[in-house]
Amino acid sequence: MTVNDIGKIALSVAVTQLLADLLSRKLVFNKDAYKQTVATFQRVKDKHDKTAAALDAKKLLYAQQQKDPSAAGKKSSQQISKKSLEKDEKRLKFESDELTAQAAEVARKHTSSNVYSGVAFLILYRVLATEYSGKIVALLPFEPFHLLQKIMTFRGLAGAAGVSTSTEFHFKWVKAVAAEVGGESITKPLAPLSPEVTHACQACAFAFIYFLCNMTVKVIVSMIFGVKPPPGADEGVGTLMQAPQNKKMMENFGVDPDHLKNM
């Protein structure tokens, strides 16, 4: 276990995310096309919010008019009809669909940027996997459950050691460490190395450290240097699914996009 290895993995993730964010700014978010899309979205959103507020006020006045026509007449010189409300509701529905479509356009710009970033991190993973193949990067202070061992903590260690399963790797590594520390019992091979490490399954490959860096370092760098979509278009794939054309296509396949959004 070396601090340098962990630091190198964390630095690689941070630099990759930083470059992805800077390139996204230059190639996507600083372009006139993106700025116009955001401006159009904001204009449609303001119009939609104004219509919704006016309709709510109109509904409240209509309800008062139904309860006491004379009192409502004092507040408004024009009587509100149910037909007028229905007309305004249709108008709001039209503006809601337009707002959803514009939000999807903004989300599509960010999604394309995220795809390029994902490709960059896939390449980074392959490079690091080759460099750290068969190398124990850290010793975990706990014994991970078996599924986590197979997916992450032992990933790349068993094959490089010439065995096919994590169990075989465990026994092979236990014997190697026991021999190195002078033939100690294989049931406690790591006690001379660290009092916190009690089991050889605590050996950690690079994949687990890489995953933790993606959950922490990558997120922090993205929060500082990344460009966030405006409120209302910041639900990622959920925003795209609510676009009228995408919604209709999903409904044709028997999928309810509203149910997926609420999951």
Side-chain angles (χ1 to χ4, degrees):
M1 173 179 62
T2 64
V3 176
N4 290 337
D5 289 332
I6 297 176
K8 184 178 179 180
I9 295 172
L11 181 61
S12 298
V13 171
V15 171
T16 301
Q17 183 60 43
L18 176 61
L19 291 176
D21 287 336
L22 294 179
L23 286 174
S24 295
R25 282 179 179 270
K26 181 177 179 60
L27 301 177
V28 179
F29 302 127
N30 286 342
K31 296 292 185 180
D32 291 338
Y34 176 77
K35 294 178 180 180
Q36 291 175 0
T37 302
V38 173
T40 301
F41 166 77
Q42 195 61 52
R43 185 171 62 253
V44 172
K45 185 175 183 297
D46 292 341
K47 182 180 178 182
H48 171 271
D49 292 344
K50 185 177 180 180
T51 301
L55 180 60
D56 289 339
K58 203 171 184 178
K59 284 182 177 179
L60 180 60
L61 193 58
Y62 178 77
Q64 294 176 349
Q65 175 182 297
Q66 294 299 108
K67 291 181 180 179
D68 188 358
S70 60
K74 295 177 182 179
K75 295 181 180 180
S76 175
S77 59
Q78 183 180 4
Q79 294 293 313
I80 299 173
S81 65
K82 187 175 182 181
K83 186 176 181 180
S84 175
L85 284 177
E86 292 176 351
K87 183 179 179 180
D88 287 347
E89 287 175 349
K90 289 181 180 179
R91 179 184 174 189
L92 181 63
K93 177 65 170 57
F94 174 79
E95 292 181 358
S96 296
D97 291 342
E98 186 179 5
L99 177 62
T100 302
Q102 291 299 326
E105 286 298 320
V106 176
R108 190 172 290 110
K109 300 285 186 181
H110 285 267
T111 301
S112 62
S113 174
N114 292 336
V115 169
Y116 297 140
S117 176
V119 171
F121 274 95
L122 180 60
I123 295 173
L124 176 64
Y125 177 85
R126 298 300 301 173
V127 171
L128 292 177
T130 301
E131 182 176 352
Y132 289 99
S133 177
K135 185 174 183 179
I136 297 173
V137 176
L139 296 178
L140 301 175
F142 61 93
E143 182 183 342
F145 56 89
H146 187 65
L147 181 60
L148 184 61
Q149 293 175 19
K150 296 183 68 175
I151 296 176
M152 287 187 190
T153 60
F154 272 179
R155 191 173 185 86
L157 298 182
V163 295
S164 58
T165 66
S166 60
T167 302
E168 291 175 315
F169 170 79
H170 163 248
F171 283 109
K172 188 170 184 176
W173 193 57
V174 165
K175 292 178 181 178
V177 174
E180 184 178 332
V181 297
E184 294 285 344
S185 170
I186 64 171
T187 59
K188 296 182 179 179
L190 299 177
L193 303 181
S194 173
E196 297 179 351
V197 179
T198 59
H199 202 283
C201 286
Q202 292 172 258
C204 178
F206 102 96
F208 187 62
I209 303 300
Y210 178 82
F211 170 77
L212 293 180
C213 289
N214 271 268
M215 298 296 292
T216 55
V217 177
K218 180 181 177 182
V219 173
I220 293 172
V221 173
S222 180
M223 288 176 61
I224 297 174
F225 297 99
V227 176
K228 302 299 180 183
D234 51 359
E235 296 182 6
V237 178
T239 304
L240 289 174
M241 289 193 301
Q242 294 303 310
Q245 63 273 23
N246 296 338
K247 204 171 182 180
K248 184 176 181 180
M249 182 179 67
M250 295 178 69
E251 289 173 349
N252 290 337
F253 283 98
V255 179
D256 185 0
D258 292 326
H259 176 69
L260 292 177
K261 182 180 178 182
N262 296 328
M263 287 180 63

